[in-house]
Amino acid sequence: MAALSSPQLQRFLLSRVYCNYGGYNKTSKNTSIRVKGGRGGTCCSAIAIDAPSSLSGVSSIKWGSTQLQGVREEMEDDLIIVQSEDDLDGFSFAAVFDGHAGFSSVKFLRNELYKECVAALQGGVLLNGKDLDTVKKALEEAFKSADAKLLSWLETSGEEVESGTTATVFLVGNDMLFISHVGDSCLILSRSGKPQALTNSHRPYGSNKASLHEIRRIREAGGWIVNGRICGDIAVSRAFGDMRFKTKKYEMLEKGIEEGRWTEKFVSRIQFKGDLVSATPDVSQVFLGKDAEFLILASDGLWDYISSSDVVDFVRNQLRQHGDVQIACEALAQKALDQRSQDNISIVIADLGRTDWSNLPIRQENVVFEFGQALFTIGMVSFGIWMSSLLQP
């Protein structure tokens, strides 16, 4: 833990990085933080953040970020992008938060989680060690500490005490990527145009491995699932906050009896053995080779309406046309709305700088498909003209 006494990290921890909507905060000369979102209506704008010029490799990353409130009454999403030479030893940090039952948990966590990660990772020293077990333990501790502080703050502040939020974080360096994930946002890596899913949604329904694991964990903790919701209430099984499923579980049962949702006989048989909603993250490590093109991190307001392959194809086509990752990001958010997304949408795109988009050839299969479509259209038109001529007197 010697690195925790470094001047750079001390300077960061003392700076109290509380980021304002729509602007930057400078924690040191080499750190830029961008936070968007909060409550304030529909928006579709963001700023690509330039990395410090002294960051070789990482400095080639181009960032785009966008948020849309859509048809929801409240904007409960948020995101943060941090390009830092000092705080994480050359790694950049990005996170998307998807809140529920209010914005308070997001408001607290967008500031706190980054600080906890910096401290637990010893200012990025552990990241550069590239030991996944060590990094995993550190990030688990960071998430656990941030959640404990959030629960304490919610209880003492009285602000939207039932609120919670998911959080998906990635830390990207020159050739290595670390992911720490809680909830149902998703991170996709494009490798030569092929989507590689780097996260699994934490939801207590479905037959995939991740869902079955969550269902088993919840039941072993004494919970139950109704229509894909924990205790018939929440549809995400890992999140920060949500104290009624952690420190206030028995109070939740008493409230359920009062509201007539459960009988006293039913409640008397329940014995909790752990948290029903967990803030323990899935942590993974990915090597970024030459075929790694860009990362897309987004809340489920995107992925529930557009497939990962369609998202990757769309962003690639955008970058092929103009090379501007910010324009591509905003266009992707608009596409989700066009697909009738009913949720808040937050998106971060990181163009890793390994691809020359201006010289990227059109994929051969696309050429064949478009040529086939053209022939089919010509054939149908010709057939229609022929049929019309036969029907004429």
Side-chain angles (χ1 to χ4, degrees), residues 189-195 291 293-294 309 312-313 316 357 363:
L189 170 63
S190 174
R191 287 194 184 276
S192 300
K194 302 295 184 182
D291 60 346
E293 296 176 334
F294 53 82
S309 58
V312 166
D313 286 345
R316 287 186 104 232
W357 298 109
R363 291 168 60 180

Side-chain angles (χ1 to χ4, degrees), residues 279-351:
T280 301
D282 285 340
V283 179
S284 56
Q285 178 183 27
V286 177
F287 175 74
L288 298 174
K290 294 181 179 179
D291 60 346
E293 296 176 334
F294 53 82
L295 293 158
I296 305 175
L297 171 59
S299 56
D300 61 334
L302 173 69
W303 307 112
D304 285 350
Y305 295 87
I306 311 177
S307 70
S308 59
S309 58
D310 286 345
V311 167
V312 166
D313 286 345
F314 181 85
V315 172
R316 287 186 104 232
N317 287 335
Q318 285 279 314
L319 295 177
R320 185 186 290 116
Q321 291 171 23
H322 49 68
D324 192 320
V325 68
Q326 182 55 40
I327 294 175
C329 195
E330 294 178 1
L332 180 59
Q334 186 58 50
K335 180 177 174 64
L337 282 189
D338 294 342
Q339 296 292 102
R340 302 185 183 278
S341 175
Q342 302 297 303
D343 203 351
N344 297 324
I345 303 167
S346 290
I347 305 172
V348 173
I349 300 180
D351 179 356

